[in-house]
Amino acid sequence: MAGRADVNRRRIMDIALVELLRDADASMDQIARAAGVVRRTVYGHFPSREALMSALVDDAASAVEVAQAEALRDVADPAEALALSMLAAWEIADGYRLLISMAQRSVTVEGIHRRLEPVRRECAAMLQRGLDEGRFVSPLPAIALAYVREQVLFGLMQAVNDGVLAPADAGRSAAVTALTAAGVPAVEAEELVAGLTAAA
């Protein structure tokens, strides 16, 4: 029975994401209809629209964590690791960027940042390795650079939402920006990211 409840919850979340990206003001009733369940079923899993939004943000944060861990596996060069982590994070972020923009109205920004803490810690460790090896050069400590990286993602998500940056360019731009913020020369950063995206 618990298995079926989990399947229902997952289906509601998947449908809710689609509906909310289609219509930011989609009601719980609309989401229930789209999911093919009664409203009571949706409220049984999510007592409010805010709870549903919070669960979707949790889902996005978990997906970013998994994508980053996969991107960093067996990568020796810290600059390559940083670029790959940004490209992987953007693939997830791009699918959720409108949701994150909406969530900032119901889920506090502090709450979003708290959910990203595991991602930030892993990124800080990678950045520290790059600083220790001289691959990165920055007056900022690694943890502060990890915050900068995070804000680059949020900033570019908003830039795409506002129509000032093409979605197709954003992942590459995020990776290059993170590298240059860590002290990698711009030309080298561009070449590294171009090579990684061409190989993908």
Side-chain angles (χ1 to χ4, degrees):
M1 192 66 166
R4 182 174 178 181
D6 288 343
V7 169
N8 280 342
R9 178 184 170 86
R10 180 74 258 168
R11 175 171 167 69
I12 291 165
M13 288 178 65
D14 290 343
I15 295 294
L17 179 60
V18 172
E19 290 299 303
L20 288 166
L21 294 180
R22 186 181 60 77
D23 175 9
D25 296 318
S27 68
M28 296 290 266
D29 282 345
Q30 285 174 262
I31 291 166
R33 281 196 301 275
V37 298
V38 296
R39 185 174 65 168
R40 185 177 63 200
T41 301
V42 175
Y43 278 107
H45 292 284
F46 308 102
S48 66
R49 193 173 186 275
E50 289 70 27
L52 175 57
M53 293 288 284
S54 182
L56 289 169
V57 170
D58 284 342
D59 210 39
S62 295
V64 169
E65 185 177 0
V66 169
Q68 176 173 278
E70 182 63 31
L72 296 181
R73 185 172 292 126
D74 301 324
V75 180
D77 177 21
E80 184 178 341
L82 178 57
L84 286 169
S85 74
M86 286 298 275
L87 291 168
W90 179 260
E91 280 193 38
I92 304 300
D94 189 39
Y96 285 92
R97 59 187 162 78
L98 292 172
L99 171 73
I100 297 297
S101 181
M102 289 185 285
Q104 290 182 21
R105 294 179 289 192
S106 58
V107 180
T108 66
V109 173
E110 179 185 348
I112 293 171
H113 289 304
R114 189 171 57 248
R115 288 167 170 85
L116 290 172
E117 189 174 338
V119 174
R120 192 181 310 120
R121 280 198 310 268
E122 184 176 34
C123 183
M126 170 189 51
L127 288 162
Q128 186 62 60
R129 182 162 57 91
L131 290 168
D132 291 344
E133 294 175 8
R135 190 71 169 100
F136 300 145
V137 179
S138 175
L140 296 174
I143 188 61
L145 276 175
Y147 276 94
V148 169
R149 171 193 177 272
E150 194 173 288
Q151 289 307 308
V152 166
L153 278 173
F154 281 115
L156 292 183
M157 286 166 69
Q158 194 58 54
V160 172
N161 287 347
D162 290 346
V164 298
L165 181 66
D169 297 332
R172 187 178 67 253
S173 298
V176 171
T177 303
L179 286 167
T180 55
V184 176
V187 172
E188 183 183 346
E190 290 273 8
E191 289 174 353
L192 174 58
V193 173
L196 291 172
T197 52

